[in-house]
Amino acid sequence: DQTELRLHQNYINGVMFVSESFLDPGNPEVKAFNEAFRKTNGVLPSREAAYGFDLMNMLSSFVQSGYYTSEEIQVELNKGLVWSGIHNKIIFTNDSRVNSSVHILQFSNGQINKKSK
């Protein structure tokens, strides 16, 4: 919560943390998504909205590739997948049931900046 971070900035400036999601405000895709979402809903999107956007784009790509049923999509996911979305990479491997992609972020001078992928 960037508002909370700013309220306590004097105590936590420079803090680093891990997040599974990061909407980079400098990314043109993120800017376009934020503007379209705000125009439609009157608020900025949550990380869940961005995650849903990425998942729907991923599923759309499966359909465009000719995989229509849940069984066909499951077979493809079981082969392993790295999907780059606007909020994060979505990673499926055949030996894991969790998304192993995270961001290392730093809150400094009122802004959240990505330190690594």
Side-chain angles (χ1 to χ4, degrees):
D1 182 346
Q2 206 159 1
T3 301
E4 286 294 321
L5 291 171
R6 286 190 183 120
L7 284 173
H8 303 287
Q9 182 172 329
N10 291 342
Y11 307 104
I12 61 171
N13 198 45
V15 69
M16 295 180 80
F17 56 97
V18 175
S19 177
E20 82 287 353
S21 178
F22 178 64
L23 293 173
D24 182 357
N27 180 325
E29 288 180 276
V30 171
K31 285 181 183 180
F33 173 70
N34 285 346
E35 289 173 18
F37 193 93
R38 185 184 348 213
K39 184 178 178 182
T40 302
N41 301 293
V43 296
L44 284 173
S46 65
R47 67 180 178 193
E48 289 81 11
Y51 191 63
F53 177 79
D54 287 345
L55 285 173
M56 289 308 297
N57 281 329
M58 183 183 72
L59 288 173
S60 176
S61 75
F62 282 124
V63 171
Q64 290 173 4
S65 296
Y67 305 109
Y68 300 109
T69 67
S70 59
E71 292 81 11
E72 291 171 331
I73 292 171
Q74 183 66 44
V75 167
E76 291 305 303
L77 289 174
N78 286 338
K79 292 178 182 176
L81 170 79
V82 177
W83 177 266
S84 293
I86 63 168
H87 93 292
N88 197 2
K89 288 182 180 173
I90 300 170
I91 300 173
F92 288 93
T93 62
N94 58 3
D95 62 347
S96 176
R97 292 183 50 148
V98 297
N99 187 3
S100 58
S101 179
V102 297
H103 301 279
I104 297 175
L105 306 173
Q106 183 174 32
F107 177 74
S108 183
N109 301 317
Q111 299 293 317
I112 297 174
N113 298 299
K114 188 173 177 179
K115 300 309 276 184
S116 74
K117 295 183 178 185

